[in-house]
């Protein structure tokens, strides 16, 4: 965990108090989240399935139907433009150009009826003044760049002719073809074996360093977070419950949910007992608790947790946690034994 650096300059993407509700739902699926990402920085958003990570990404990309998902509050500023209020045509001009996304399952993201070279070239033709020959050359250059062996012979392959790792490389090539300012990667290694996962993560890091792209990576893999993140947002039931530099999150987690996630990760070396688990499940949208949404699963829960939702509170340099009792080591410290006189 040595990657955390102090971000400089204005953020390339700033999300402030974003709340999103699906039509007919009794509560917000995304509830008041805020974060920033700077050029060249990697922000990881972590949490269990069902915590709202992918919904957040899709809302920023304008990929949720506006008839289904209603923005209740907040902004998502990309430069001087609010992604949440842009007309669809303007959003389409940005999507795949200055802001791109890598999806977790490339087989369902690539069109099975088109050759991979044509699919990458299409992205270039949509956003650049280029001839078909120039776009095809750019596609070949990108396949080389993502280290697909014998790229020129693969240019006319269909997605089903490639392995899962190679399809994910094609998705990365497509996402980076126009040198976007922001890249959102939604669980980009979930469907891959461990060896290929490491190769894909290294590739994304390498390309990010070359281009200076800001990266928002959505994952549940804390090993990936430790390797690539500058900053981390821990998300639970649609809310950010802790955020901060990667070192602070790993070395001094302060929200009970973050502590639970850290404790459930296997460690290298002899095992002395069973792994810790977080009892229960993420609440469904129709059963969201009124106060802190983690209360039903929290080992430290108190009556105040059920009564009100805690705000994100500063605990250290750029380190915040949404817990009434943070720092936990102070709130739940065992009282010192009273000394007795002679």
């Amino acid at each position: 965990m040595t990657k955390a650096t102090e971000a400089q300059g204005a953020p390339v993407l700033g999300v402030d108090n974003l709340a999103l509700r699906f039509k007919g739902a009794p509560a917000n699926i995304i509830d008041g989240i805020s974060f920033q990402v700077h050029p060249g920085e990697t922000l990881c958003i972590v949490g269990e399935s069902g915590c709202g990570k992918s919904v957040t990404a899709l809302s920023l990309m304008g990929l949720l139907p506006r008839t289904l998902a209603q923005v209740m509050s907040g902004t998502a500023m990309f430069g001087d433009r609010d992604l949440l209020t842009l007309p669809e045509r303007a959003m389409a001009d940005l999507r795949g150009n200055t802001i791109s996304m890598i999806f977790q399952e490339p087989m369902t993201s690539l069109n099975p009826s088109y050759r991979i070279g044509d699919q990458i070239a299409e992205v270039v033709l949509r956003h650049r003044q280029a001839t078909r020959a120039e776009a095809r050359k750019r596609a070949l250059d990108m396949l080389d760049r993502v280290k697909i062996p014998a790229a020129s012979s693969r240019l006319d392959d269909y997605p089903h002719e490639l392995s899962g790792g190679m399809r994910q490389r094609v998705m990365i090539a497509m996402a980076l073809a126009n040198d976007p300012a922001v890249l959102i990667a939604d669980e980009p290694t979930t469907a891959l074996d461990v060896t290929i996962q490491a190769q894909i993560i290294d590739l994304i890091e390498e390309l990010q360093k070359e281009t200076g792209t800001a990266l928002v990576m959505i994952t549940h893999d804390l090993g990936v977070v430790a390797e690539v993140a500058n900053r981390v947002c821990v998300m639970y039931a649609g809310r950010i419950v802790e955020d901060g530099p990667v070192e602070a999150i790993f070395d001094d987690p302060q929200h009970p949910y973050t502590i639970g996630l850290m404790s459930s990760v296997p460690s290298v070396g002899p095992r002395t007992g069973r792994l810790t688990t977080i009892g229960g499940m993420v609440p469904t949208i129709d059963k969201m608790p009124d106060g802190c949404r983690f209360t039903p699963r929290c080992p430290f829960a108190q009556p105040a947790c059920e009564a009100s939702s805690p705000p994100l509170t500063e605990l250290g340099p750029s380190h915040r946690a949404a817990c009434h009792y943070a720092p936990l080591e102070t709130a739940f410290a065992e009282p010192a034994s009273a000394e007795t006189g002679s």
Side-chain angles (χ1 to χ4, degrees):
M1 291 173 289
T2 59
K3 200 185 174 194
T5 56
E6 187 68 28
Q8 301 293 326
V12 64
L13 175 64
V15 177
D16 183 43
N17 195 35
L18 171 60
L20 193 75
R21 181 173 298 203
F22 288 154
K23 185 177 181 181
N28 294 337
I29 187 71
I30 302 297
D31 197 40
I33 68 170
S34 300
F35 61 82
Q36 295 181 343
V37 60
H38 295 75
E41 183 182 32
T42 298
L43 172 73
C44 282
I45 302 177
V46 302
E48 295 169 276
S49 297
C51 283
K53 307 183 303 296
S54 294
V55 171
T56 299
L58 293 173
S59 67
L60 296 177
M61 293 296 296
L63 294 175
L64 293 176
R66 296 186 179 183
T67 55
L68 171 66
Q70 181 182 0
V71 176
M72 307 300 290
S73 69
T75 59
M77 301 306 297
F78 180 67
D80 60 354
R81 290 168 288 189
D82 184 357
L83 299 178
L84 305 178
T85 60
L86 280 181
E88 175 52 37
R89 185 178 182 85
M91 191 67 220
D93 289 339
L94 292 181
R95 192 188 302 123
N97 186 22
T98 53
I99 179 168
S100 289
M101 185 167 176
I102 303 170
F103 298 91
Q104 60 180 291
E105 180 40 72
M107 198 58 193
T108 58
S109 304
L110 294 170
N111 191 321
S113 303
Y114 288 85
R115 303 175 193 274
I116 61 170
D118 293 336
Q119 294 189 56
I120 300 172
E122 182 183 3
V123 174
V124 178
L125 290 169
R126 170 63 178 82
H127 297 288
R128 291 188 175 187
Q129 296 294 324
T131 64
R132 289 200 170 273
E134 291 169 339
R136 184 175 172 84
K137 183 179 184 306
R138 177 64 174 173
L140 178 58
D141 290 344
M142 290 306 302
L143 291 182
D144 277 327
R145 201 169 176 186
V146 298
K147 301 179 182 178
I148 285 188
S152 58
S153 66
R154 291 291 192 175
L155 198 61
D156 292 321
D157 283 356
Y158 289 94
H160 73 270
E161 297 178 283
L162 306 178
S163 68
M166 291 180 72
R167 287 196 293 266
Q168 194 61 286
R169 290 172 187 268
V170 172
M171 282 294 303
I172 295 170
M174 190 180 305
L176 292 176
N178 290 319
D179 298 323
V182 174
L183 175 64
I184 299 174
D186 185 8
E187 304 273 12
T189 61
T190 294
L192 307 175
D193 66 56
V194 175
T195 302
I196 303 302
Q197 283 184 20
Q199 294 175 4
I200 294 298
I201 292 299
D202 289 344
L203 174 62
I204 292 174
E205 279 197 290
E206 181 181 329
L207 295 173
Q208 183 193 18
K209 289 176 182 177
E210 290 178 10
T211 61
T213 297
L215 174 62
V216 178
M217 182 173 288
I218 294 166
T219 183
H220 64 267
D221 188 332
L222 293 175
V224 170
V225 175
E227 181 178 350
V228 307
N230 297 118
R231 293 187 55 79
V232 181
C233 290
V234 181
M235 200 165 181
Y236 183 78
R239 292 175 178 168
I240 291 176
V241 297
E242 187 164 2
D243 64 13
V246 63
E247 285 94 343
I249 299 298
F250 274 79
D251 296 342
D252 188 28
Q254 283 297 325
H255 194 279
Y257 180 61
T258 311
I259 294 171
L261 290 179
M262 298 295 179
S263 300
S264 64
V265 177
S267 58
V268 177
R271 182 174 296 177
T272 57
R274 295 176 64 88
L275 285 175
T276 301
T277 60
I278 305 174
M281 298 179 65
V282 179
T284 57
I285 192 64
D286 60 334
K287 295 181 180 178
M288 289 292 182
D290 292 331
C292 174
R293 292 183 172 182
F294 189 59
T295 299
R297 306 174 70 188
C298 181
F300 303 103
Q302 304 292 319
C305 304
E306 298 180 3
S308 64
S309 176
L312 280 166
T313 303
E314 197 85 15
L315 301 174
S318 301
H319 182 195
R320 304 181 301 166
C323 178
H324 288 302
Y325 298 99
L328 298 175
E329 60 268 26
T330 299
F332 295 101
E334 292 187 8
S337 299
E339 295 184 3
T340 58
S342 56

